[in-house]
Amino acid sequence: MRVHKLTFAALAVAASFSLTACQNGEDGAGQSGPSSSSTASAASTASPSGGSSDPGSGKPSDGTTGSGGKGTAAGTGSDASGRAGACRTDELEITAAERTIGGDADGTVAVTLKNRGGRDCTISGYAGVDLKTGAGSLSAKRTGQQADTAVLKKGASTYFGVTYPLNTSGGSGVRVTGLVVTPPDETKSVTLDWPGAGTLPVTEGGGASVKVGPVGSAGQGG
């Protein structure tokens, strides 16, 4: 009887060791690390640019740019409302050409302003125009026509006309030596060669009636 009791005890101990080993093996497998499906799930919730997203809110992290982010209009020259800014003198190529039609009582010079800048810009109103003469500077007067606002696209041009009296007196008149143009809403001017008739008639008071139209009107013969 003693032998049988020891044998039964040994079998019980062996069974206990076997059960413990199986349980420890299962726990170890569960703690060995995340499964491939868990890793993929974690990767799918990561935010781009290294930022973290706000769970459940749908808001981008600090590392992303939302649809209302600033800087999208950089280099466009637009103001806060998205409208194109005013054309600047340094962005405009300004030229002048004679456009008098035969038989007209007055001469006409058409001034062209071409947008050579890297953005669209707005332009409106009257340019400042002065004629340089042998008797001094002569400022053109506005015609009074309504001035419209226009967006001048990159590479596009607009015009305005300068009318001046023709010297038909037979006398030497007043010699014109240059044309000074200041774009609307600008203070910087450009000086051009005068392409019109070489002289203006002498008038009482020492000045001739030179007029300038608004930007967008080419003037007579334009």
Side-chain angles (χ1 to χ4, degrees):
M1 292 297 293
R2 179 179 178 83
V3 173
H4 289 296
K5 289 180 179 179
L6 290 174
T7 300
F8 291 149
L11 290 174
V13 171
S16 176
F17 283 155
S18 176
L19 181 59
T20 302
C22 290
Q23 290 176 343
N24 288 341
E26 291 174 359
D27 292 342
Q31 297 175 2
S32 60
S35 65
S36 59
S37 61
S38 298
T39 303
S41 177
S44 66
T45 60
S47 175
S49 306
S52 60
S53 60
D54 183 3
S57 69
K59 296 180 181 178
S61 67
D62 291 340
T64 63
T65 301
S67 61
K70 296 180 180 180
T72 56
T76 65
S78 301
D79 60 19
S81 64
R83 295 177 298 183
C87 298
R88 300 304 179 195
T89 302
D90 290 337
E91 298 174 311
L92 299 172
E93 179 182 355
I94 303 175
T95 56
E98 172 68 18
R99 289 291 184 267
T100 302
I101 294 177
D104 284 352
D106 294 322
T108 300
V109 167
V111 178
T112 303
L113 302 96
K114 182 176 181 179
N115 182 1
R116 64 177 185 182
R119 66 184 181 101
D120 298 346
C121 60
T122 58
I123 191 166
S124 65
Y126 285 80
V129 172
D130 295 281
L131 271 60
K132 298 173 68 176
T133 75
S137 180
L138 178 63
S139 296
K141 298 179 180 179
R142 297 180 178 183
T143 61
Q145 293 173 259
Q146 181 177 354
D148 296 324
T149 300
V151 175
L152 192 59
K153 299 289 186 179
K154 292 184 292 184
S157 298
T158 188
Y159 313 86
F160 66 86
V162 179
T163 58
Y164 62 96
L166 296 172
N167 183 15
T168 58
S169 65
S172 59
V174 178
R175 186 169 60 93
V176 183
T177 60
L179 173 65
V180 181
V181 177
T182 308
D185 302 317
E186 273 288 271
T187 57
K188 186 175 182 179
S189 304
V190 295
T191 300
L192 309 172
D193 292 335
W194 172 249
T199 62
L200 301 177
V202 177
T203 61
E204 294 184 8
S209 180
V210 179
K211 296 182 178 181
V212 55
V215 171
S217 63
Q220 291 173 273

